[in-house]
Amino acid sequence: MAVSCCFKSAQEEIDGFVVSLQFLSHEDLAKSCLVTRRKSDIERYIVALEASCIAYYKVDHNTLDDIHHEGIRVATMHRVKGLEFDNMYIVGVNDGILPLDVLDSDDKTVIRDHEWRERSLLYVAITRAKRFCSITGFGKLSTFLRSYQAQ
């Protein structure tokens, strides 16, 4: 099952995410993962997890996922390639973040290639979920989600 939602602000998105986690058992929490597009966005979610006393385990390029650690896994979309989780929470899927607004080109081929790679990255994150996937953003959603919601 997949769900997508757009919140009015970053804080509302974080609050909604934290509330949804509070319904999970410790076992289910350890089988869940929060992912962001950018490494720089992870910290605001970690702050919210800590403030809510929700255990987490950060999986980055220097660490492996360890089933012995309690809590939700926190990682970037790139880092979860090859991993699987019962529940995926893909957060911060906003315009300018996915696709990442880094191109300095008007070349249609370059733009199309960049969007294809970004869309593939989102697909990889979504397909890490075995049971449930939540995709959220705030403010203006990614063009990828806006086109999906219109269907």
Side-chain angles (χ1 to χ4, degrees):
M1 177 168 80
V3 184
S4 67
C5 183
C6 183
F7 293 90
K8 291 180 183 176
S9 69
Q11 189 59 52
E12 280 188 23
E13 181 194 33
I14 288 170
D15 293 344
F17 166 71
V18 167
V19 166
S20 68
L21 292 184
Q22 292 171 339
F23 290 100
L24 296 179
S25 68
H26 289 291
E27 183 179 296
D28 286 340
L29 197 60
K31 295 178 184 176
S32 301
C33 185
L34 168 137
V35 294
T36 63
R37 169 61 182 91
R38 302 179 304 191
K39 211 181 314 184
S40 59
D41 292 327
I42 288 176
E43 194 57 37
R44 75 171 174 255
Y45 296 96
I46 288 177
V47 167
L49 292 170
E50 289 173 346
S52 301
C53 299
I54 296 174
Y56 69 91
Y57 178 69
K58 190 173 178 182
V59 182
D60 59 23
H61 66 282
N62 293 325
T63 60
L64 298 174
D65 185 22
D66 184 347
I67 61 171
H68 300 295
H69 283 277
E70 288 187 24
I72 188 168
R73 282 28 187 173
V74 179
T76 63
M77 290 180 180
H78 280 94
R79 182 59 187 91
V80 296
K81 289 180 182 179
L83 302 176
E84 285 188 329
F85 303 92
D86 283 355
N87 308 301
M88 287 295 296
Y89 295 88
I90 305 169
V91 296
V93 184
N94 301 330
D95 194 38
I97 295 176
L98 194 71
L100 196 57
D101 189 13
V102 294
L103 285 183
D104 190 23
S105 174
D106 292 331
D107 185 316
K108 290 182 182 183
T109 303
V110 170
I111 294 168
R112 189 174 40 242
D113 183 54
H114 174 69
E115 287 181 354
W116 180 84
R117 281 184 275 119
E118 292 288 295
R119 199 177 292 270
S120 296
L121 187 59
L122 178 60
Y123 176 80
V124 166
I126 292 169
T127 58
R128 303 304 88 208
K130 293 193 281 185
R131 297 172 72 206
F132 172 79
C133 182
S134 169
I135 306 169
T136 60
F138 57 89
K140 190 173 181 183
L141 281 178
S142 165
T143 57
F144 297 162
L145 294 183
R146 289 195 312 260
S147 61
Y148 169 75
Q149 286 183 328
Q151 293 178 359

